[in-house]
Structures are given as structure tokens and as C-alpha cells.
């Protein structure tokens, strides 16, 4: 293990993060999907070396939990040996590319998408060392368009930074100029540089002609029977190793791959049968709840968020509900129509609020908080 990078630090496979249930780390599946055999290995190693809990992240990564320093090294070694990660921590940290989950499956993706993903991944290997959270998204439209919410966003023929975009023939070259420009800055993320300079000035600084980008599309449906794939979701993004093994078996009845999405769902191309114990109904009320790890898994959590979220799902609370164990708001950085927050005084509630904002009511019981939000 290496020392954590100081600017914009974030856990990776070789740089685990301490949490309430031990160390957690991240596994980044390949852009074209994780093969069933690799998913099975990941599940078995997460159960053997960690506590078997695997969160799905909004960057479409697996985040297994509950490791000791020694068992985290053993797990990382198994992932590298399986070809699921780079042995070099710096290289592994830089593999921060989100690609369309149905790459190679969705015939409605822009025909240049796969080539762009491959070219971007190759270009990124030669980029300077950037903050660990620095990420790239490559979108190709199709059934599940990705939001351009990354430090650099790319689509065939266009590049995006912080709400601005530019047309461009050589996207990997333009992205490389942006990465090199950003490497000379002190901000932890591109959005901070955007706040200081403006997105247009950043694009102009690397020779691009900016224009406003259209608003992000609403999150598409990624649960249930989709054209060409089955979408499943673990409740609140929390998967068990045993469930991942079941999904690996199921994937082998389809094209043999599992695809992670930034909506904390898994897609199984070509699969028909529905698994037990996972959400497959797009109208399930748990899909309208964003809950962080909370207590006891996270040492900062004031409340058991997932238990509270499970109870909230039975209350018919309208719209999106954000359940946050503390004011950091890991599960939903923006404002949410309904907020259920853990504080030193108990449960707090607010509407149209970020987790960090002062709540409207605090010191409530869970029942009273849910009543206030209903
Ligand atoms: S929001 Fe707070 S309690 Fe929840 S995971 Fe983040 S730090 Fe932990």
C-alpha cells in the first residue's frame, strides 16, 4: 500500500480508506463489463478477506468493505492476479473512466462510442498524476445516456467541462490538454477550477471554442426488463457477496457479463430470469431513496441510515428522499426534495435541502421524522 494522495483523496484498490467496519476499497470493472467468473472471484474474495458487504458507487465501482490492512493487501493481490486491476497504485488510481454500461450491447449507442472509450482509456494512461477523484465520463447516448458530471466529459465529437462544451475532432487529444492544464492547478476537482475561472475560460485555455451545454437528461430507468438486458438493484446500493455470486451465475444464462451503472444498479445482458432478493421492479419505492452507509459501517454516522431508509420506504413519502448519516451527504451531494438526516440530537428533516444545510426540525424520533416528511 502507498501513502494516500493528498489532493482530492479517494479510496482505490491499493489505497483503502478506514471506515466504521474496517477498511474499504474500490474495484473498477472494465468498460465492456465484468465477466461472470471475475464477479464470482470478486464476491468470494470480498467474503474471505472482508466482511462480504459490497457497496455499489455512483462511479460504477464495487466498494467491498470490512478489511484489515493485511486482508486488504490479499484482496488487492487477488484482483491484480485476475487482471481486474493494475499492480501499480498510481496507474490503478488513474483508471477513473466511466463508460456506457451497455457498451457492445445497446445498438442505439453512437457508432463511435466504443472507439472513443478505447482511445480515452489509452490516452489516460499517459496523463500526469491527477487527484484521485479526477474522473472522466464517455457517453454515447443510446438507452442509458450518462450525465456529463465528471471532471471531463466526452461524447463522439464533443467535450464537456462544468456545464460548457466544445465541438472537437480529436477528443482524446483535447482531453489530454485539459488534464495537463489541470495538473498545474491546485484545486482538488475540475468543478473547483470552474468556480474560480469559469468553464468557458478553461476550454479556451486549451484551444477549444466553448458554448453552453444542454441540461443533463433525467436519470433513465435502469431496473427491470430493458431492451437486451435485465436491470437489478440491491436496496440502497448495498450488495452482499452471496448476492453477487448469484448474479454471476445468472449472468451466465445471458452474455456472461455484468455491467455496473452510476445509478447503483447492475445490468445483465441477455438475462431473462429474475433473481430473488434484489429489486427488479422499477416502481419499487426503495429506488427513490438515496441512503449512505451510515452507522455502524461509517464511523461518522449518527443514525443507521439503511434501517431508517427501509422503514421510510413503507411510508409513501413522495419524490426523492435522501437519508444521510451526517451532514457530509455522501449519497446525494445536491439538494433533495426530502432530507432525513442524522445529527447529534437524533433525526432531523428538511425539504429541498442539502445534507449540510441547517435542518428545519431536529431532535426527532424516526417515526416523528417520517411523519413530518410524509
Ligand atoms: S454521509 Fe456521513 S454517515 Fe453517511 S457515509 Fe458519508 S460520512 Fe458516513
Amino acid at each position: 500500500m502507498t501513502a494516500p494522495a493528498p489532493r482530492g483523496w479517494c479510496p482505490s484498490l491499493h489505497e483503502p480508506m478506514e471506515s466504521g467496519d474496517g477498511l474499504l476499497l474500490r474495484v473498477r470493472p472494465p468498460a465492456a463489463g465484468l465477466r461472470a467468473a471475475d464477479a464470482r472471484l470478486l464476491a468470494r474474495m470480498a467474503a474471505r478477506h472482508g466482511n462480504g458487504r459490497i457497496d455499489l458507487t455512483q462511479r460504477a465501482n464495487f466498494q467491498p468493505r470490512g478489511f484489515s490492512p493485511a486482508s486488504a493487501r490479499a484482496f488487492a493481490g487477488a484482483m491484480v492476479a485476475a487482471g481486474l486491476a493494475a499492480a501499480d497504485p498510481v496507474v490503478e488510481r488513474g483508471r477513473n473512466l466511466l463508460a456506457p454500461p451497455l457498451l457492445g450491447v445497446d445498438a442505439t449507442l453512437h457508432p463511435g462510442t466504443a472507439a472513443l472509450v478505447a482511445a480515452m482509456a489509452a490516452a489516460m494512461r499517459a496523463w500526469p498524476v491527477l487527484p484521485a477523484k479526477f474522473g472522466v465520463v464517455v457517453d454515447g447516448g443510446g438507452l442509458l445516456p450518462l450525465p456529463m458530471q465528471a471532471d471531463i466529459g466526452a461524447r463522439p465529437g464533443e467535450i464537456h467541462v462544468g456545464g460548457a462544451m466544445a465541438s472537437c475532432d480529436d477528443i482524446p487529444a483535447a482531453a489530454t490538454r485539459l488534464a495537463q492544464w489541470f495538473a498545474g492547478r491546485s484545486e482538488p476537482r475540475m468543478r473547483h477550477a470552474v468556480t474560480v475561472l469559469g468553464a468557458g475560460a478553461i476550454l479556451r485555455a486549451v484551444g477549444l471554442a466553448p458554448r453552453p451545454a444542454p441540461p443533463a437528461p433525467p436519470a433513465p430507468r435502469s431496473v427491470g426488463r430493458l431492451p437486451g438486458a435485465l436491470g437489478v438493484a440491491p436496496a440502497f446500493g448495498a450488495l452482499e457477496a452471496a448476492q453477487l455470486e448469484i448474479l454471476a451465475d445468472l449472468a451466465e444464462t445471458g452474455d456472461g457479463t455484468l455491467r455496473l451503472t452510476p445509478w447503483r444498479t447492475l445490468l445483465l445482458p441477455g438475462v431473462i430470469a429474475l433473481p430473488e432478493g434484489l429489486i427488479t421492479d422499477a416502481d419499487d419505492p426503495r429506488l427513490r431513496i438515496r441512503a449512505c452507509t451510515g452507522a455502524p459501517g461509517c464511523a461518522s454516522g449518527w443514525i443507521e441510515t439503511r434501517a431508517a431508509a427501509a422503514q421510510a420506504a413503507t411510508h409513501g413519502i413522495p419524490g426523492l428522499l435522501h437519508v444521510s448519516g451526517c451532514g457530509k451527504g455522501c449519497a446525494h451531494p445536491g439538494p433533495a426534495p426530502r432530507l432525513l438526516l442524522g445529527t447529534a440530537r437524533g433525526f432531523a428533516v428538511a425539504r429541498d435541502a442539502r445534507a449540510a444545510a441547517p435542518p428545519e426540525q431536529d431532535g426527532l424520533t424516526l417515526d416523528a421524522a417520517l411523519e413530518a416528511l410524509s
Side-chain angles (χ1 to χ4, degrees):
M1 305 288 161
T2 61
R7 187 163 65 119
W9 190 73
C10 178
S12 69
L13 181 69
H14 302 290
E15 296 156 318
M17 186 173 90
E18 188 74 48
S19 194
D21 55 356
L23 297 172
L24 61 82
L25 39 78
R26 284 196 182 158
V27 180
R28 296 179 172 140
L34 189 66
R35 291 179 306 154
D38 291 333
R40 198 173 289 115
L41 175 79
L42 194 163
R44 289 178 182 168
M45 293 298 112
R48 180 183 303 171
H49 298 296
N51 62 13
R53 299 203 176 101
I54 305 169
D55 291 335
L56 307 187
T57 78
Q58 295 176 81
R59 290 179 171 234
N61 297 156
F62 290 103
Q63 189 165 272
R65 313 180 61 96
F67 295 89
S68 68
S71 70
R73 279 192 293 274
F75 179 86
M79 295 300 103
V80 171
L84 289 173
D88 182 335
V90 175
V91 174
E92 178 58 22
R93 196 193 307 148
R95 287 180 57 241
N96 214 344
L97 187 154
L98 175 61
L102 288 178
L103 195 66
V105 174
D106 178 3
T108 66
L109 279 168
H110 186 289
T113 308
L116 179 58
V117 169
M120 284 294 294
M124 288 170 72
R125 285 195 280 276
W127 283 6
V129 175
L130 296 167
K133 286 191 174 182
F134 194 95
V136 172
V137 59
V138 177
D139 178 43
L143 295 168
L144 302 172
L146 297 172
M148 295 284 100
Q149 287 163 357
D151 297 274
I152 298 175
R155 291 194 180 105
E158 56 188 61
I159 191 156
H160 291 240
V161 168
M165 60 177 284
S167 297
C168 173
D169 291 333
D170 192 342
I171 299 291
T176 298
R177 294 200 299 278
L178 278 166
Q180 290 167 340
W181 175 88
F182 186 77
R185 307 278 309 175
S186 59
E187 291 91 357
R189 298 293 304 272
M190 186 67 90
R191 67 170 182 269
H192 301 114
V194 168
T195 303
V196 175
L197 299 171
I202 293 170
L203 289 170
R204 276 191 290 273
V206 298
L208 297 167
R211 66 180 189 276
R221 182 168 77 86
S222 65
V223 168
R225 295 195 197 283
L226 309 172
L230 176 70
V232 302
F236 318 121
L239 192 67
E240 297 287 337
Q243 291 176 313
L244 183 55
E245 276 209 61
I246 290 168
L247 290 177
D249 292 345
L250 199 54
E252 286 173 335
T253 68
D255 81 347
T257 66
L258 300 88
R259 316 310 185 86
L260 272 178
T261 80
W263 307 287
R264 305 210 293 177
T265 60
L266 277 150
L267 306 179
L268 308 179
V271 168
I272 305 293
L274 301 178
E276 300 273 327
L278 288 153
I279 300 170
T280 54
D281 177 357
D283 294 324
D284 191 298
R286 291 171 291 179
L287 296 175
R288 288 189 283 104
I289 299 178
R290 307 276 180 275
C292 71
T293 302
C298 176
S300 301
W302 293 106
I303 57 171
E304 294 190 20
T305 45
R306 285 173 177 157
Q311 194 168 328
T314 66
H315 268 251
I317 295 170
L320 180 79
L321 170 66
H322 178 194
V323 182
S324 189
C326 76
K328 196 172 170 193
C330 296
H332 188 76
R338 301 279 194 285
L339 172 69
L340 176 63
L341 178 71
T343 73
R345 297 180 57 205
F347 288 86
V349 296
R351 290 171 195 242
D352 300 316
R354 294 174 193 271
E360 292 162 13
Q361 296 179 64
D362 197 355
L364 303 174
T365 64
L366 177 57
D367 285 338
L370 295 178
E371 197 57 39
L373 290 170
S374 294

